[in-house]
Amino acid sequence: MGRIDTLLSKEAIDERIQTLAAEIERDFEGETLTVIIVLKGSFIFAADLVRAINVPLRCDFLGLRSYEGKESTGVVQITHDLTRNIEGEHVLIIEDIVDTGLTMEYLLDNLKTRKPASLKVASLLHKPARTKIEVPIDYLGFTIDDVFVIGYGLDFDQKFRNLPFIGVMTPDAD
Ligand code: 5GP
């Protein structure tokens, strides 16, 4: 299976989340926030982030698929849509990673048509080396190199989401 090296420890992630949450709290003071959790990869980040944000908020979930194995197909598909109308609401998208930017661009275009009062993006990770489309990330956890990461919600072939840290998998040499 190969070796998994820690790229970002649980402690480093926890600390960064507290900082992001404080920024979000300051920016949305006095408002009610609608958080859109992009499935599946961001469920663990979102669970930790929302618990650190002390403003009234609603959570909704959007299922997207844009990746098969390790390679982006560039094709984005909604596998589960929002259950509520977000018109006039302050919306924060929570994503695990912005890689090429194709998924986030699709999502921003799609959600803008639903007329939220404001639309912001929080992403745990960003891989600028792979950018195809520049997208705004209002709250960014970490910038990482061009490596395929797993853990803390991120998968490889649907496995490893349960690792408590972000790791890099190095295949066995054979
Ligand atoms: P993008 O459309 O920006 O290229 O890709 C976004 C999606 O691809 C992410 O939400 C995530 O599901 C997947 N992805 C991109 N890079 C990685 C990675 O390094 N590891 C894993 N597990 N998924 C990734």
Side-chain angles (χ1 to χ4, degrees):
M1 181 200 86
R3 200 182 66 221
I4 297 171
D5 295 314
T6 303
L7 182 66
L8 297 165
S9 67
K10 182 179 184 309
E11 292 70 27
I13 298 169
D14 286 348
E15 196 181 318
R16 187 73 190 121
I17 285 179
Q18 295 309 318
T19 306
L20 293 180
E23 283 174 31
I24 294 167
E25 249 176 57
R26 193 195 54 215
D27 293 353
F28 290 94
E29 201 187 335
E31 309 284 358
T32 296
L33 193 54
T34 298
V35 164
I36 296 183
I37 298 164
V38 184
L39 298 173
K40 301 175 186 169
S42 72
F43 79 108
I44 292 182
F45 172 46
D48 284 344
L49 184 63
V50 297
R51 283 182 293 175
I53 300 173
N54 192 19
V55 300
L57 65 78
R58 308 181 180 95
C59 294
D60 207 345
F61 300 87
L62 191 86
L64 283 186
R65 192 169 51 199
S66 60
Y67 239 63
E68 293 293 338
K70 278 191 174 187
E71 284 305 311
S72 177
T73 58
V75 176
V76 183
Q77 205 188 341
I78 293 189
T79 55
H80 172 85
D81 206 352
L82 301 179
T83 55
R84 296 178 55 260
N85 180 359
I86 57 167
E87 186 169 345
E89 298 186 358
H90 294 286
V91 171
L92 175 67
I93 301 171
I94 303 189
E95 179 60 299
D96 52 357
I97 182 166
V98 174
D99 184 22
T100 62
L102 291 168
T103 305
M104 188 52 72
E105 156 143 298
Y106 170 85
L107 199 52
L108 286 167
D109 284 351
N110 184 297
L111 294 179
K112 274 178 201 157
T113 66
R114 308 185 197 201
K115 301 189 173 58
S118 67
L119 185 57
K120 296 273 198 275
V121 175
S123 180
L124 179 63
L125 304 172
H126 182 216
K127 262 193 230 175
R130 301 212 350 127
T131 300
K132 286 192 184 150
I133 297 173
E134 295 274 355
V135 290
I137 305 176
D138 303 283
Y139 308 99
L140 173 63
F142 303 91
T143 298
I144 61 167
D145 290 339
D146 184 8
V147 287
F148 189 83
V149 289
I150 53 171
Y152 198 71
L154 290 118
D155 74 307
F156 174 57
D157 281 348
Q158 299 303 325
K159 293 186 295 250
F160 305 106
R161 295 192 197 274
N162 56 322
L163 294 180
F165 58 90
I166 299 277
V168 180
M169 199 167 52
T170 310
D172 280 330
D174 45 26

